[in-house]
Amino acid sequence: MELKLDARISKSALRQPKEIGCYSTDISHNYHNDTRGLKYYYFPESSLEDDTIDLNTGYKDFERDPEDTPRHLNGMLQCLVGIEKKTNSKVKADIITYRGIMTRLMCLPYEQREDINLNIVYFDGQIFIEEDFELKKFNKQHMDDRMARMTYWGYKFETLATLAKPWGQSTRAEIDNRLLQKTNNIEEYCSLVRTGVGSVKLILGAEVDCVFDYKPEKSSDDPLPHYVELKTSKVIRTEKDAANFEKKLLKSWAQSFLLGIKTIIYGFRDEDGIVKAIETFETAKIPFMIKASKHTNRKWNGNEAIAFYAACLDWIKTTVPQKEGVVYRLQYRAGSPKLDLAQLTGFEEKKVLDSMLLPEF
Ligand code: A3P
Ligand code: MG
Ligand code: MG
């Protein structure tokens, strides 16, 4: 498909995300239809000055998800089934998937260094998209030591910057001992939102790092403005650091924008993993920050990213055959100018059905 982008779509055709459900996963990978995994932001700012916030703390005790079995869309589907039983009606959407997958598609015009393998099935009027387990496993297994450590820093920052209960209900020890608390990447709290772009209606499931204050109890109160995305990045000392950070902001912005998360809190750490500063960003302002920036000539543009995302989802919706029991594959190869949609099962070899050209920004 030749791509004609209409940047106006970004303004007119975005549906404001709305939470329709949530769930938690515990350390044993068990699903819970509640908010027990929700965390509360509380950063020990006073420790910043004495350089004691070392994200390496407890690295050898990190409880890493072995990710030895594919979990497909299990968590969000279980949550959806619960909602459908409760309301006695089907949750209607064209595409049901995880937010992380959509983030990758949205960033693709600017970020083409990694392969993407997505599996797609059509069932009962809806398209389900999941990340292919084999490629994901391969990438995790081939992470070098430095990368693995930096990944730990991200999780450690989450442990350090949040409490399992609101501040007022936490003990002094729970507040003070977070640096020594064991870190894992298994427990999580997830939100399910109804959203959409253009004519494509979506249900997205996503992990949410924490709330800034509390999650409203009344279902009529929107919880999304309370959610916060946490991130780590290298302290900005040079022009090059600033340019790299602005490039990285694309992913954080897209990730938060897609779920309707309004606040991103960055922990800036040095090369050794010591947190030096904390900064809060408003998601909606990030594209304007990039526009105004003097650090880089090769800027990303929020409206363009949204326009590509809209075109891509429209293409998926209209191109995936409405055939049940067949697995399709959306495939991108690093550096390639196009995305392919292929039929994965039912043929001896994978058969490419259609391709979409990426725009050049
Ligand atoms: P940073 O965000 O500080 O890099 P998320 O930010 O999405 O909540 O994810 C939390 C942490 O998980 C990240 O911290 C990073 O350490 C790790 N992480 C997330 N996605 C990853 C990926 N694709 N590859 C490696 N690590 C990842
Ligand atoms: Mg997260
Ligand atoms: Mg995060």
Side-chain angles (χ1 to χ4, degrees):
M1 185 186 85
E2 277 291 345
L3 185 58
K4 286 196 198 72
L5 284 184
D6 182 358
R8 284 167 303 174
I9 196 161
S10 59
K11 295 263 161 19
S12 62
L14 281 168
R15 272 183 166 221
Q16 183 81 7
K18 185 173 182 320
E19 182 170 275
I20 58 164
C22 67
Y23 63 93
S24 303
T25 306
D26 68 21
I27 190 74
S28 312
H29 294 281
N30 293 320
Y31 170 92
H32 299 278
N33 189 23
D34 56 37
T35 60
R36 73 182 66 187
L38 180 63
K39 298 282 196 309
Y40 298 79
Y41 182 74
Y42 189 75
F43 189 80
E45 300 238 2
S46 58
S47 305
L48 278 173
E49 281 152 31
D50 48 23
D51 276 356
T52 51
I53 309 182
D54 182 352
L55 297 177
N56 297 286
T57 312
Y59 184 40
K60 62 176 188 346
D61 298 322
F62 180 35
E63 206 163 335
R64 192 186 295 275
D65 186 350
E67 299 203 43
D68 42 11
T69 47
R71 293 186 210 284
H72 306 288
L73 301 178
N74 294 354
M76 72 175 295
L77 292 184
Q78 201 162 339
C79 187
L80 270 178
V81 168
I83 296 168
E84 290 183 348
K85 273 195 188 146
K86 207 165 136 192
T87 58
N88 206 14
S89 70
K90 187 174 150 109
V91 176
K92 293 199 184 77
D94 299 305
I95 297 179
I96 295 174
T97 188
Y98 279 126
R99 178 266 318 262
I101 294 172
M102 296 296 105
T103 305
R104 296 189 70 187
L105 292 181
M106 196 171 206
C107 298
L108 194 55
Y110 304 98
E111 182 47 79
Q112 301 166 357
R113 286 175 300 183
E114 283 173 20
D115 291 354
I116 299 176
N117 277 354
L118 304 178
N119 298 331
I120 304 185
V121 293
Y122 174 87
F123 179 74
D124 196 19
Q126 296 175 316
I127 292 169
F128 297 81
I129 309 180
E130 66 160 20
E131 200 177 343
D132 180 60
F133 179 69
E134 292 306 322
L135 178 59
K136 198 170 160 191
K137 195 165 91 182
F138 179 88
N139 288 338
K140 289 259 158 73
Q141 285 169 348
H142 289 77
M143 211 187 266
D144 64 27
D145 291 350
R146 172 82 182 161
M147 198 59 213
R149 184 173 284 269
M150 283 167 65
T151 301
Y152 176 72
W153 292 349
Y155 294 120
K156 189 75 207 174
F157 180 67
E158 289 181 355
T159 310
L160 189 82
T162 62
L163 292 164
K165 291 176 280 183
W167 179 81
Q169 294 167 29
S170 303
T171 64
R172 192 66 206 239
E174 283 164 343
I175 295 169
D176 289 348
N177 296 340
R178 284 175 291 161
L179 196 57
L180 300 173
Q181 194 184 311
K182 256 177 115 174
T183 295
N184 73 78
N185 65 341
I186 300 165
E187 289 169 297
E188 54 180 25
Y189 166 78
C190 295
S191 169
L192 247 67
V193 303
R194 184 200 308 278
T195 178
V197 60
S199 68
V200 184
K201 295 191 188 75
L202 288 154
I203 301 292
L204 297 182
E207 194 250 339
V208 172
D209 290 339
C210 60
V211 280
F212 192 75
D213 41 12
Y214 61 94
K215 179 170 180 181
E217 281 179 17
K218 279 208 315 226
S219 60
S220 54
D221 291 342
D222 184 3
L224 297 179
H226 297 262
Y227 290 159
V228 173
E229 173 58 45
L230 300 174
K231 288 278 164 202
T232 58
S233 197
K234 205 177 102 186
V235 175
I236 299 168
R237 295 209 177 91
T238 63
E239 282 286 312
K240 196 172 157 226
D241 290 342
N244 283 341
F245 176 63
E246 286 178 6
K247 193 163 182 228
K248 260 179 81 170
L249 269 180
L250 166 64
K251 194 177 160 219
S252 313
W253 168 77
Q255 175 182 24
S256 304
F257 170 84
L258 283 168
L259 205 73
I261 292 188
K262 297 186 180 339
T263 312
I264 305 172
I265 299 180
Y266 261 93
F268 288 100
R269 47 92 194 151
D270 67 12
E271 285 81 353
D272 299 322
I274 311 292
V275 181
K276 298 287 193 179
I278 290 288
E279 201 171 332
T280 302
F281 295 83
E282 276 180 56
T283 308
K285 288 192 178 159
I286 290 175
F288 298 99
M289 241 179 78
I290 301 296
K291 230 180 219 171
S293 160
K294 295 178 181 65
H295 299 298
T296 172
N297 299 324
R298 294 193 59 224
K299 294 178 187 180
W300 57 269
N301 175 302
N303 283 342
E304 284 174 356
I306 296 166
F308 168 72
Y309 170 68
C312 186
L313 291 196
D314 191 74
W315 173 66
I316 293 171
K317 182 182 161 182
T318 50
T319 313
V320 171
Q322 301 192 347
K323 225 177 351 171
E324 292 183 3
V326 181
V327 180
Y328 298 94
R329 164 67 53 88
L330 193 66
Q331 176 176 297
Y332 179 74
R333 287 292 158 263
S336 161
K338 64 180 178 65
L339 257 175
D340 290 327
L341 180 78
Q343 181 164 334
L344 201 61
T345 58
F347 285 107
E348 291 280 310
E349 300 247 328
K350 196 170 60 182
K351 182 185 168 200
V352 176
L353 301 177
D354 196 13
S355 299
M356 177 185 187
L357 278 179
L358 299 187
E360 280 180 40
F361 293 135

